[in-house]
Amino acid sequence: MTDHTTDLHITAWVLGIILFFVASAMYRNRNSKAKMIHMIVRLLYIVIVITGFLLYQGIMSSPTTPHMQYGIKMLAGIWVIVAMEMILVRTNKGKSTNAGWIQFVIAFLVVLYLGLRLPFGFHPFA
Ligand code: HEM
């Protein structure tokens, strides 16, 4: 684990969330390129999860780590991704996405709070 892993983790989720909004707007407008943006978003999910696990592994080797909080941080991160995927698929199918958006907002706030609070990297709330 290095600071670069954190940089990559943050770059991947910032880019992923921006492209997620782009893809969801394009699906709503029935833009035929929406699927392509969606595929890039899915690739970014993989980068986010891999860098997330690398950060987790590196951090777990320290005995003073608050393990429970990191466990919750990871689950919340995965929850954000699940909500994003659910919103995109359901928008494409023309189904209601309210439940997905509520989950997305809650999970994102939890992940942001925990990610920034936890000891590695910058931590404005710690
Ligand atoms: C879209 C989803 C995600 C968002 C928005 C997100 C956000 C963040 C943020 C803001 C940080 C803090 C970076 C820093 O302190 O410099 C972070 C760190 C971290 N993330 Fe994520 N993350 C996401 C997904 C994941 C996933 C899926 C995993 C695990 C598989 C994960 C595991 C971690 C770990 C272990 C850290 C290090 C915690 C620390 O700051 O000490 N994240 N993430």
Side-chain angles (χ1 to χ4, degrees), residues 1 3 6-7 9-10 12-14 16-17 45 47-60 70-71 73-81 84 104 107-109 111-124:
M1 181 198 61
D3 274 344
T6 316
D7 292 345
H9 187 64
I10 295 174
W13 68 252
V14 169
I17 285 174
Y45 294 158
V47 180
I48 296 166
V49 170
I50 290 174
T51 52
F53 273 118
L54 288 174
L55 284 169
Y56 184 72
Q57 263 199 332
I59 290 159
M60 283 305 121
Y70 279 103
K73 161 71 182 72
M74 290 210 303
L75 289 178
I78 291 165
W79 187 17
V80 176
I81 291 174
M84 288 161 76
F104 174 75
F108 183 71
L109 290 178
V111 104
L112 211 57
Y113 175 72
L114 283 176
L116 295 178
R117 205 186 98 97
L118 285 167
F120 190 74
F122 51 82
H123 34 77

Side-chain angles (χ1 to χ4, degrees), residues 17-35:
I17 285 174
I18 292 170
L19 290 178
F20 157 74
F21 280 113
V22 173
S24 83
M26 286 167 82
Y27 272 137
R28 268 199 302 279
N29 299 327
R30 299 269 132 230
N31 186 318
S32 60
K33 298 256 167 63
K35 195 91 217 167

Side-chain angles (χ1 to χ4, degrees), residues 56 59-73:
Y56 184 72
I59 290 159
M60 283 305 121
S61 51
S62 154
T64 54
T65 298
H67 289 69
M68 187 69 179
Q69 289 181 34
Y70 279 103
I72 296 169
K73 161 71 182 72

Side-chain angles (χ1 to χ4, degrees), residues 40 57 77 105:
I40 300 173
Q57 263 199 332
V105 171

